[in-house]
Amino acid sequence: GAGVSQSPRYKVTKRGQDVALRCDPISGHVSLYWYRQALGQGPEFLTYFNYEAQQDKSGLPNDRFSAERPEGSISTLTIQRTEQRDSAMYRCASSAGTGNSPLHFGNGTRLTVT
Amino acid sequence: AQTVTQSQPEMSVQEAETVTLSCTYDTSESDYYLFWYKQPPSRQMILVIRQEAYKQQNATENRFSVNFQKAAKSFSLKISDSQLGDAAMYFCAYRRNYGQNFVFGPGTRLSVLP
């Protein structure tokens, strides 16, 4: 596709529910990243993939958070048993993976846990 | 772990004037990449400029240029002939090497005064 696509754009869920956030990267991009961003702050790293392999998941806050990219393209970030503190903008980004390749960001999913 | 610091939470500049945003980073690596991203009120993340650490020449992109001081681990962004559309949050980002995570600073909010 022309850019990184994330869905849904907005998600409101009740505390305790599970949510799945989807990311469709730019076609051919090797690397896919998930970030979380609070208003007025910088993106906070969660996890990233090269192809289908999860290279680093050190930023995932706890074991309620997981991500997968089974075929090396589309990725899903899943949050189980959501809590109010999970409310934030979740951003996906992809990169061609070569040295100075920048991140191309999607428009994000704004998650609100009530 | 690498860290990125932006010591100016907020800056302002008069339209048509020049402003410099500061960024410092902490790393023991010699090979890495640096980026500046712009986030306007729409909350998109837009690449402004990038720099390879092995290049001594400072990167420029139209009205945007950087002052890269490798020994000082400093990477400032200069915006010349500021325009109202430059008003945004600006994030500095560091990436160690191919396929590695991008680390973002906390951001500087730039206001452009007419």
Side-chain angles (χ1 to χ4, degrees), chain B residues 7-90:
Chain B
S7 60
Q8 307 151 316
E10 295 184 359
M11 292 280 286
S12 63
V13 62
Q14 209 72 34
E15 198 176 2
E17 297 295 309
T18 296
V19 64
T20 298
L21 309 183
S22 67
C23 171
T24 59
Y25 54 93
D26 180 27
T27 184
S28 58
E29 303 291 329
S30 60
D31 186 17
Y32 51 86
Y33 306 89
L34 297 163
F35 305 82
W36 278 98
Y37 280 86
K38 169 184 177 181
Q39 189 172 48
S42 66
R43 299 205 76 191
Q44 286 182 290
M45 287 285 280
I46 303 165
L47 175 70
V48 175
I49 198 165
R50 58 184 140 176
Q51 174 82 40
E52 296 86 347
Y54 62 82
K55 288 187 177 179
Q56 293 185 340
Q57 187 172 9
N58 289 323
T60 62
E61 288 286 344
N62 300 312
R63 298 182 295 107
F64 298 88
S65 61
V66 299
N67 183 5
F68 173 48
Q69 302 288 329
K70 191 172 185 179
K73 299 178 184 176
S74 171
F75 182 60
S76 59
L77 174 70
K78 185 171 85 170
I79 306 173
S80 303
D81 185 26
S82 297
Q83 301 176 359
L84 295 177
D86 296 333
M89 283 287 285
Y90 285 83

Side-chain angles (χ1 to χ4, degrees), chain A residues 1 9 15 35-36 39 76 81 84 86 90 100 112:
Chain A
R9 288 293 305 276
R15 185 164 51 97
Y35 286 84
R36 181 168 66 176
L39 195 62
T76 302
R81 305 180 302 282
Q84 284 189 321
D86 300 333
Y90 289 84
N100 66 347
T112 303

Side-chain angles (χ1 to χ4, degrees), chain A residues 54-94:
Chain A
Q54 191 169 23
Q55 299 291 321
D56 184 351
K57 56 181 181 179
S58 63
L60 296 177
N62 51 61
D63 60 8
R64 295 186 297 106
F65 287 73
S66 63
E68 62 176 8
R69 193 187 185 197
E71 297 179 0
S73 179
I74 292 170
S75 176
T76 302
L77 176 70
T78 300
I79 309 173
Q80 295 179 313
R81 305 180 302 282
T82 53
E83 301 177 5
Q84 284 189 321
R85 60 178 171 157
D86 300 333
S87 296
M89 175 76 82
Y90 289 84
R91 290 193 177 276
C92 174
S94 69

Side-chain angles (χ1 to χ4, degrees), chain A residues 7-52:
Chain A
S7 60
R9 288 293 305 276
Y10 303 92
K11 177 69 177 178
V12 180
T13 191
K14 292 186 177 180
R15 185 164 51 97
Q17 297 295 306
D18 297 351
V19 295
L21 312 181
R22 174 190 164 109
C23 174
D24 192 352
I26 292 173
S27 177
H29 274 192
V30 167
S31 302
L32 184 148
Y33 300 74
W34 284 100
Y35 286 84
R36 181 168 66 176
Q37 187 178 20
L39 195 62
Q41 297 184 18
E44 172 194 9
F45 171 74
L46 296 177
T47 185
Y48 87 94
F49 296 82
N50 283 339
Y51 301 101
E52 72 282 359

